[in-house]
Each structure stands twice: as C-alpha cells, then as structure tokens.
Amino acid sequence: MYNSNQQSKVLLNIIFNPLFIFTIVWIISLISYLFAINISFIINPNYQILLFTFIVSYSIFFITYISLAINKNHTTVNNIIKPILQINGYRLKLISRIILISIITIVLYNYHTFGGFPFYSFFGYDVMAYYEYGRFKGLLIPLLTIFGLLSIFKKNIVYRLVTILFVVSLFVFYILRGPLLAFILQYFILDTLYKKKYSFLKRGAVVICLIFVIMNVLGNLRTGNELFLTYFNIKPEFQDINSGILWFLMYITGSFSDLITTVQYQNHYLYGISTLNDILPAFIRFDPIVANPNLIFIDGPKTYLAPFFEDFGWVGIIIINLIIAIICFVIHNDSRFNNNLLIIPLLYSSISLIFFTNYFFYFYNIVQFILSIFIFNFIKRAT
C-alpha cells in the first residue's frame, strides 16, 4: 500500500513527463479552440485543419518518444525526484551578484538610450512600443529568469520575495508577457522539484490562478477591454464573459488560428529562413522577415509549428515534432541534463507553451539553456 506521500510522488513523476505535458497541452488547446470559434468572429473556423495537424504532430511525437524509450530500454515515466543536491553557497552568491550587475547594466543602458519603459504608456507617457524597446533582450530575458530561479536555492524568504518582485517587475515594465509566464512556470517547477513539495496540485492551482490574473491584467493594460473586444471581434452575446476567461481563450487559440491561416494560404516556402530568424539574435535577420506579409493574422506567434511549416510545409511539421521528441527524451533521460535543476524547468515550460510559439528554437531560450549548463555546474557542490 502506498501512503499519500508516495502516491503524490508517483503522480508527480507522471505529470512532469514530456509525453504527458505534450498530450495535455494539445488536448486543452483543441478544446479551447472549439469553444473559441463560437465566441469570436475572427478565429479561423476551419478546425478540421487543426485536427489533422494534431493527428500528424501527435503521431510523430508519440512514436518517436516511445521508440526511443524502447530502444534505450527506458520507461516512459522516470523518477524526476532527485536526491537533494548540495549547493555551494559562496558560488551561488557570487554568480547571483554577477547576474544582477549584468541585468542592471542592460536595463540602465536601455533606459538611457530608449527612454522610459513601455509600461509607462499605460499612464499616458510617450514611450516606445514594447516590441521596439531596448537592446540585448536576448540576454536580459534569460538572465532575469535564471536570477529568479537561483533565489530558490536561498533559505532567506525575504531575499526570495524581493528577488521575485524585482524579476516580475522588470518583465512587466518591458511588457514581456510570454517570458513572464515562462518564468512563473519554471519557478513553480523548480520549487516543486528542489524542495520536494508533493502538495504540487494545490500549488499548481495557485500558479494557474496567478497566470490567469496576469493574462487578464496585462492584457487589459496592453489593449483595454473595449479594444480587446473589438480587436478579437467577440460576438455580442459573449462580451459579458469575464475578460480573463476571454483573454485565456484568445491567448491560446489566436496562435492556432494563425497557424491554420498559414497552412491554408502558404504558397511558397522559405527553406530555413523563418526558423533561422527565431534562432538568431534580433540584429541578424534574413529576408523575408515576415513569411506571409499579405496574409492577415491575429497576432505574431503561430504556435511551435508555423516556422517549420513556413520553411518546409508538411515535411517541416513532421521534422519539428521529430526533433522536439528527441530533445525531450534526451533531456528527460540523460543524467547530464536531468540532474541540472535549471534545465529541467526550461524543458517543461517550453513544452507547456507550444500553443504559443516554439521556445525550443527561440534565441533567448537557447542562451538560457547554455547559461544553465555552466551556472548550475558552477554552483553545484562537488560530491
């Protein structure tokens, strides 16, 4: 007989599994889409394309992941709960200070060069739009995320709270909603795994509510409720629904709608340019920067699939699901990666946000992955 702690541990190992997360994200996305096409006039109604895309994507991911598990004689559910890793306190303090100085340097440079934060626009100030503001965001975002995650290894609660407030505030000032959501997910995952908090379902519910509030508040700040209802062409009978629920649906389904539009009307392929423009830093861009300039999209992101479809069509969708399945399997099962407590949260957050964009091939996520390898090995106490 399992006690409740053992049962929670088993459940935790199932939930923190790439195959499980991939499945749940797709299911939630499909259900949300079926709701959204009845709520908004702007959502592409051709859900059949999305269902076919799901069948192709899930089949490739599932077959690849299971085949690797069978070939390597692994179980699909591994023990994600590791023995307590000892952290070198001096090195943790040193690297935290170096990261903090780097963050402050970038923020001050951007403030001096580009003026006030984009967040100030909500109060009537004339500042640059959030997507144009600042330089070095490909370094700033991973540094902020890692700095926040490192605070989990500290015992001082006040320090942790101040650090979280600092990190979240900068994400908000820059209006970086996607990276903020990714940070919250990673923080929750690392805090759960490092401190072995088996009450993760209750804490997970709190995180979901927090994300819901952030999407609601930041969404309304960015567009305003009336503009939001107009922009997303919400049907009159649904305009009284809580704006947080509407934001949640549109945030998930808008990118899938744009993916369907891409699949429907893509008439030429870019053969790697679209993917490279995500992987490379912002100051390096290949033409065309916009894959389909003549198509009308709801928003910029078009899920994790669009860049590869824009480059290689349906072959690209097969390739990206194959690659992601291999990446997930290797990181989840290779001790060189799954013992790194900074890499594991990055993996799970990247899978969780596939409905939005392809964080596996985003420049700042690649930078975070590389930094996480060196930083965690630096602070980990030798055994």
Side-chain angles (χ1 to χ4, degrees):
M1 295 290 293
Y2 286 120
N3 59 36
S4 58
N5 198 46
Q6 290 174 319
Q7 290 174 342
S8 295
K9 185 176 179 180
V10 171
L11 184 58
L12 185 69
N13 286 323
I14 293 174
I15 291 177
F16 285 125
N17 177 277
L19 186 57
F20 178 84
I21 298 173
F22 188 82
T23 303
I24 291 300
V25 171
W26 262 108
I27 290 174
I28 292 175
S29 299
L30 289 171
I31 293 174
S32 298
Y33 202 88
L34 293 177
F35 276 107
I37 57 178
N38 294 313
I39 292 175
S40 170
F41 289 112
I42 202 173
I43 297 296
N44 194 316
N46 296 293
Y47 66 90
Q48 299 90 343
I49 296 176
L50 181 59
L51 290 176
F52 181 75
T53 305
F54 161 70
I55 292 171
V56 173
S57 299
Y58 191 80
S59 298
I60 297 299
F61 187 94
F62 181 85
I63 292 171
T64 303
Y65 197 93
I66 296 298
S67 297
L68 289 171
I70 294 173
N71 184 54
K72 296 297 182 180
N73 197 28
H74 283 287
T75 60
T76 56
V77 179
N78 286 343
N79 183 16
I80 194 63
I81 303 298
K82 307 297 180 184
I84 295 178
L85 294 172
Q86 298 298 317
I87 302 297
N88 186 310
Y90 171 76
R91 290 190 170 188
L92 175 61
K93 182 185 295 185
L94 176 62
I95 198 65
S96 295
R97 287 179 176 177
I98 293 173
I99 293 174
L100 178 60
I101 292 172
S102 302
I103 290 171
I104 293 174
T105 301
I106 295 174
V107 171
L108 290 178
Y109 168 80
N110 285 335
Y111 201 92
H112 173 75
T113 306
F114 300 96
F117 297 118
F119 183 76
Y120 293 171
S121 64
F122 301 143
F123 304 98
Y125 291 94
D126 184 19
V127 293
M128 295 182 67
Y130 70 93
Y131 50 84
E132 296 178 339
Y133 181 85
R135 292 290 182 270
F136 309 111
K137 284 188 282 190
L139 181 60
L140 177 62
I141 292 172
L143 286 177
L144 272 174
T145 302
I146 292 174
F147 183 68
L149 295 179
L150 289 178
S151 70
I152 292 175
F153 302 129
K154 296 275 191 175
K155 296 181 180 180
N156 190 318
I157 296 178
V158 175
Y159 174 85
R160 291 180 59 184
L161 291 175
V162 171
T163 301
I164 294 173
L165 180 62
F166 172 76
V167 171
V168 171
S169 295
L170 279 180
F171 278 133
V172 171
F173 287 157
Y174 275 71
I175 317 184
L176 297 170
R177 187 170 55 178
L180 174 56
L181 294 179
F183 167 70
I184 292 173
L185 284 173
Q186 290 179 46
Y187 192 93
F188 162 71
I189 293 167
L190 177 56
D191 193 49
T192 299
L193 297 181
Y194 180 66
K195 299 190 174 179
K196 297 179 173 59
K197 294 182 178 179
Y198 298 124
S199 59
F200 61 93
L201 290 178
K202 295 178 181 178
R203 298 170 65 249
V206 173
V207 170
I208 291 173
C209 291
L210 182 60
I211 291 175
F212 181 83
V213 170
I214 289 173
M215 292 173 67
N216 187 9
V217 173
L218 281 186
N220 284 335
L221 283 174
R222 282 172 68 171
T223 62
N225 189 56
E226 291 300 322
L227 182 58
F228 164 77
L229 295 175
T230 302
Y231 182 81
F232 284 101
N233 215 339
I234 304 298
K235 297 178 181 179
E237 60 269 30
F238 297 104
Q239 292 187 3
D240 291 331
I241 295 178
N242 178 273
S243 60
I245 296 176
L246 292 176
W247 261 113
F248 175 81
L249 284 174
M250 294 303 107
Y251 195 75
I252 290 180
T253 59
S255 52
F256 277 107
S257 179
D258 289 343
L259 171 66
I260 294 174
T261 301
T262 300
V263 172
Q264 278 185 286
Y265 300 108
Q266 179 88 27
N267 52 25
H268 64 282
Y269 301 119
L270 305 180
Y271 302 106
I273 291 178
S274 186
T275 304
L276 280 175
N277 282 339
D278 284 342
I279 294 176
L280 296 173
F283 61 87
I284 303 176
R285 284 291 184 268
F286 294 99
D287 289 328
I289 296 176
V290 179
N292 296 286
N294 297 322
L295 296 182
I296 299 176
F297 294 113
I298 297 175
D299 204 351
K302 300 187 284 288
T303 80
Y304 75 106
L305 297 171
F308 273 77
F309 186 90
E310 291 166 348
D311 285 337
F312 307 108
W314 285 103
V315 173
I317 287 184
I318 294 173
I319 291 173
I320 185 55
N321 283 288
L322 178 68
I323 292 175
I324 288 180
I326 294 173
I327 292 174
C328 290
F329 181 84
V330 170
I331 293 179
H332 188 67
N333 292 279
D334 192 322
S335 60
R336 290 172 297 180
F337 300 115
N338 64 19
N339 285 326
N340 187 313
L341 292 180
L342 295 179
I343 287 180
I344 289 299
L346 176 62
L347 170 67
Y348 295 149
S349 68
S350 297
I351 306 172
S352 300
L353 296 172
I354 58 173
F355 68 86
F356 184 60
T357 192
N358 193 338
Y359 281 115
F360 288 91
F361 287 85
Y362 248 46
F363 174 73
Y364 61 74
N365 263 27
I366 296 173
V367 172
Q368 183 178 336
F369 179 83
I370 296 171
L371 289 176
S372 296
I373 293 175
F374 290 104
I375 290 174
F376 190 76
N377 286 333
F378 179 74
I379 65 172
K380 184 176 65 174
R381 191 187 299 274
T383 56

